[in-house]
Amino acid sequence: MGVEDLELSNVKKIAIVGASEDRRKYGNKIVRDLLSKGFEVYPVNLRSETIEGIRCYRDVEELPKDIDLIVFVVPPEIGIQVAEKAIKMGFKRLWFQPGAGSKQIEDLVKNNGVEYSIGRCIMIETSYRNV
């Protein structure tokens, strides 16, 4: 498993860790972009009730178990903690946006048999695909 191994063709349900109500932030831009492409989006933000009219989850532990992919739009020091929880819960596909990854995160996902991407933009990678 590795950076290039993460297959998006069968992804429908995407959780966004670091989703934001602020439309200027990437945590919101990604939510809107994926919604516009037909994905089911599950925003994760500790402080928000809804983002773009969608119920917001306070933690990955609240997410439905059938999420296909978790996208991280948070600093690595937060991402590592959330990724550890997500892996313990059985999530096997993690995507770290540019700036969200680190060597520590890469070691964690490699050592736990997780499909992952670090440093690629989910908005670009889903641009050429029909859902």
Side-chain angles (χ1 to χ4, degrees):
M1 312 277 166
V3 175
E4 301 305 323
D5 295 329
L6 188 69
E7 178 57 50
L8 293 173
S9 64
N10 58 353
V11 169
K12 301 241 181 284
K13 297 180 177 186
I14 302 178
I16 312 291
V17 173
S20 174
E21 292 181 64
D22 186 340
R23 291 176 69 89
R24 297 169 297 177
K25 293 191 172 189
Y26 276 99
N28 182 282
K29 291 177 182 184
I30 292 168
V31 168
R32 287 184 284 132
D33 180 74
L34 294 176
L35 284 171
S36 76
K37 293 172 181 168
F39 291 97
E40 286 181 49
V41 176
Y42 297 78
V44 179
N45 182 306
L46 186 60
R47 295 177 204 87
S48 299
E49 300 266 331
T50 63
I51 292 177
E52 296 299 317
I54 304 167
R55 174 195 170 192
C56 195
Y57 295 82
R58 297 193 180 279
D59 195 290
V60 291
E61 293 170 324
E62 293 181 6
L63 288 170
K65 303 295 182 247
D66 63 346
I67 296 292
D68 297 314
L69 179 68
I70 300 176
V71 175
F72 290 77
V73 194
V74 292
E77 56 273 13
I78 295 169
I80 187 78
Q81 296 168 16
V82 178
E84 286 171 346
K85 273 193 224 178
I87 290 167
K88 282 179 188 163
M89 293 183 58
F91 292 110
K92 292 291 187 192
R93 290 168 151 177
L94 308 179
W95 187 287
F96 298 86
Q97 282 292 109
S102 69
K103 174 76 169 99
Q104 188 181 13
I105 287 172
E106 190 167 0
D107 290 344
L108 173 73
V109 293
K110 279 182 180 176
N111 293 332
N112 283 282
V114 172
E115 289 181 66
Y116 69 94
S117 174
I118 296 176
R120 290 162 52 209
C121 179
I122 192 74
M123 293 188 294
I124 293 170
E125 299 298 323
T126 56
S127 289
Y128 305 105
R129 139 172 203 277
N130 294 326
V131 181

